[in-house]
């Protein structure tokens, strides 16, 4: 039995959480992989109700679980996810961009992953005013850079793909901070002679994601660049509705969709649950590897292929050119599982 904590979030978060619960319950009932799900509150609603976007009870329950699933939260996102990433030392943010059939996508042959450093850069919240100027501290350490570089090379080693790591930075302008990131990645690359290593400036990477996205395998980059590039890479393969993410540390992991709370479509039963459901697949992979539980990994593969087959058959939500509602799409997934 795996204990799963679930932050239900804001905007489309609660609808997507119902979809996740329905799929996990189906796996629990029919595929004999047992889950104990605890729903938790964090985000804008928690802030207005309790004065705290990340209540202590939520943090305590997350720490007692085997893994956390987090739906998107609204304006208070920085007080929830950025805090959790640092508090739980979830240093690797893994954002795959993979082609699915019949997507409104630029290409249909993409299989890449962005490995984003998740604990430092401009996300440490060290901003202040200095007279009429505003200052933000951009912290890049050698230890964190080497740790994320190692994660990227290990990912490239395990993937059944072209065995390439592209280190993305802007060291021609940020010579000290990105200079350290680039050097750290270069140093780590020497331990992986079988993996092709290249470096690319972030502006060139943004262009190449449109021009030649098929050339990428594993991209390793700093926190802010990773945030921006992963929205772009998700659009290359069909949009935010198909983009999952994992925040991974040495002992714990948290899974979420790449997208935000999408208030513009909240409560309409039209949100695409696939990104959050594909995050379940990433969670099952991680749990399976951590606990040496091959059943977990197999069920995760089955969930992914069920989503793949469903969109291939033309059953899709509005954002990717279909007509199914969130609940209809979810029911098809649970029926087909
Ligand atoms: P954040 O800054 O928190 O990541 P954002 O401002 O980038 O959020 P999102 O909430 O991610 O915005 O939404 C961007 C656009 O994508 C919106 O128009 C939204 O409707 C659409 N969108 C996001 N997620 C989904 C989804 N699961 N299904 C359908 N459309 C979505």
């Amino acid at each position: 039995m795996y204990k799963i904590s679930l932050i239900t979030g804001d905007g489309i978060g609660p609808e997507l959480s119902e979809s996740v619960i329905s799929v996990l319950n189906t796996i629990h009932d029919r595929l004999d992989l047992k889950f104990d799900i605890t729903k938790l509150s964090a985000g804008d609603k928690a802030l207005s109700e309790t004065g705290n976007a990340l209540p202590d009870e939520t943090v305590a329950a997350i720490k007692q679980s085997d893994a956390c699933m987090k739906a998107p939260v609204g304006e208070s996102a920085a007080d929830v996810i950025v805090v959790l990433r640092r508090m739980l030392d979830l240093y690797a943010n893994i954002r795959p961009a993979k082609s699915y059939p019949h997507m409104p996508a630029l290409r249909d042959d993409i299989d890449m992953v962005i490995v984003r450093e998740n604990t430092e850069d401009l996300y440490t919240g060290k901003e202040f005013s200095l007279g009429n100027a505003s200052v933000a501290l951009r912290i890049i350490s050698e230890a964190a850079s080497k740790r994320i570089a190692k994660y990227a090379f290990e990912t490239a080693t395990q993937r059944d793909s072209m065995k390439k790591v592209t280190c993305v930075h802007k060291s021609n302008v940020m010579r000290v901070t990105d200079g350290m990131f680039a050097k750290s990645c270069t140093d780590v690359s020497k331990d992986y002679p079988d993996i092709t290593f290249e470096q690319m400036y972030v502006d060139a990477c943004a262009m190449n994601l449109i021009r030649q996205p098929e050339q990428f395998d594993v991209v390793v980059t700093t926190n802010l660049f990773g945030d921006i590039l992963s929205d772009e890479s998700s659009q290359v393969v069909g949009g935010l509705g198909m983009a999952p993410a994992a925040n991974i540390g040495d002992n714990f992991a948290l899974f979420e969709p790449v997208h935000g709370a999408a208030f513009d479509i909240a409560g309409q039963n039209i949100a695409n649950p696939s990104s959050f459901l594909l995050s379940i697949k990433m969670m099952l992979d991680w749990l399976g590897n951590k606990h040496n539980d091959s059943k977990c990994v197999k069920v995760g593969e089955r969930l992914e292929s069920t989503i793949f087959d469903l969109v291939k058959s033309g059953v899709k939500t509005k954002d990717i050119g279909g007509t199914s509602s969130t609940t209809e799409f979810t029911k098809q997934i649970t029926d087909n599982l």
Side-chain angles (χ1 to χ4, degrees):
M1 171 87 81
Y2 291 110
K3 287 177 83 169
I4 309 299
S5 48
L6 170 65
I7 293 175
T8 52
D10 302 311
I12 57 174
E15 301 161 57
L16 300 186
S17 296
E18 286 310 311
S19 177
V20 159
I21 290 170
S22 171
V23 167
L24 287 177
N25 282 342
T26 303
I27 294 172
H28 178 101
D29 293 340
R30 291 199 225 140
L31 301 180
D32 198 30
L33 189 60
K34 301 300 180 196
F35 301 106
D36 173 13
I37 306 167
T38 307
K39 281 181 160 189
L40 300 172
S41 138
D44 296 358
K45 192 156 171 274
L47 181 63
S48 68
E49 285 171 3
T50 70
N52 187 355
L54 185 59
D56 293 345
E57 310 84 78
T58 295
V59 173
I62 291 172
K63 286 182 174 169
Q64 277 166 18
S65 64
D66 292 304
C68 178
M69 302 274 318
K70 185 202 132 286
V73 298
E75 288 302 310
S76 53
D79 297 324
V80 178
I81 187 61
V82 178
V83 172
L84 282 172
R85 286 170 182 159
R86 286 170 59 81
M87 180 190 287
L88 303 170
D89 199 22
L90 307 176
Y91 62 88
N93 193 330
I94 311 305
R95 297 188 157 189
K98 194 166 169 180
S99 295
Y100 284 84
H102 308 317
M103 290 293 137
L106 286 180
R107 310 257 318 197
D108 60 5
D109 57 351
I110 306 305
D111 184 3
M112 61 172 286
V113 59
I114 293 185
V115 175
R116 163 187 172 194
E117 202 291 318
N118 221 12
T119 62
E120 26 184 61
D121 194 356
L122 288 166
Y123 282 64
T124 54
K126 293 190 170 39
E127 281 191 304
F128 50 92
S129 297
L130 212 57
N132 289 331
S134 307
V135 179
L137 288 183
R138 182 168 194 258
I139 295 160
I140 304 284
S141 73
E142 184 182 12
S145 302
K146 285 195 167 166
R147 183 164 72 160
I148 199 67
K150 188 164 186 302
Y151 197 98
F153 279 95
E154 288 295 326
T155 303
T157 305
Q158 283 156 25
R159 274 165 62 85
D160 188 15
S161 56
M162 66 180 103
K163 311 275 180 219
K164 179 160 103 173
V165 170
T166 307
C167 168
V168 174
H169 55 78
K170 190 75 180 165
S171 69
N172 52 339
V173 174
M174 290 175 283
R175 292 182 184 143
V176 178
T177 49
D178 268 10
M180 171 168 283
F181 185 75
K183 181 175 180 315
S184 301
C185 291
T186 308
D187 287 350
V188 172
S189 74
K190 297 190 175 118
D191 296 333
Y192 296 86
D194 297 335
I195 306 287
T196 306
F197 177 63
E198 66 177 12
Q199 300 187 48
M200 198 175 282
Y201 292 134
V202 64
D203 43 347
C205 180
M207 177 186 67
N208 284 328
L209 275 172
I210 306 295
R211 201 172 66 157
Q212 298 175 299
E214 74 286 359
Q215 73 170 288
F216 293 106
D217 180 10
V218 177
V219 168
V220 63
T221 189
T222 48
N223 207 340
L224 179 62
F225 294 161
D227 191 13
I228 297 167
L229 293 175
S230 56
D231 264 31
E232 186 184 356
S233 62
S234 72
Q235 198 57 49
V236 171
V237 295
L240 286 167
M242 302 298 294
N247 299 267
I248 296 182
D250 287 333
N251 301 308
F252 194 75
L254 179 151
F255 302 84
E256 59 178 346
V258 167
H259 59 72
F263 288 106
D264 54 334
I265 56 166
Q268 297 175 36
N269 195 23
I270 58 169
N272 187 350
S274 301
S275 34
F276 208 14
L277 298 180
L278 288 166
S279 309
I280 298 180
K281 194 269 179 199
M282 296 184 84
M283 177 182 78
L284 293 176
D285 256 355
W286 181 80
L287 284 171
N289 286 324
K290 182 166 188 244
H291 297 280
N292 218 0
D293 181 350
S294 59
K295 184 161 196 190
C296 247
V297 177
K298 281 199 189 110
V299 170
E301 284 164 1
R302 184 155 164 181
L303 173 60
E304 186 181 26
S305 64
T306 303
I307 296 170
F308 187 97
D309 291 343
L310 192 60
V311 295
K312 191 172 178 192
S313 74
V315 176
K316 297 189 289 182
T317 46
K318 194 172 161 201
D319 58 306
I320 49 173
T323 55
S324 295
S325 66
T326 312
T327 44
E328 284 163 352
F329 187 86
T330 305
K331 182 159 187 325
Q332 285 287 327
I333 298 278
T334 54
D335 285 353
N336 296 356
L337 269 174

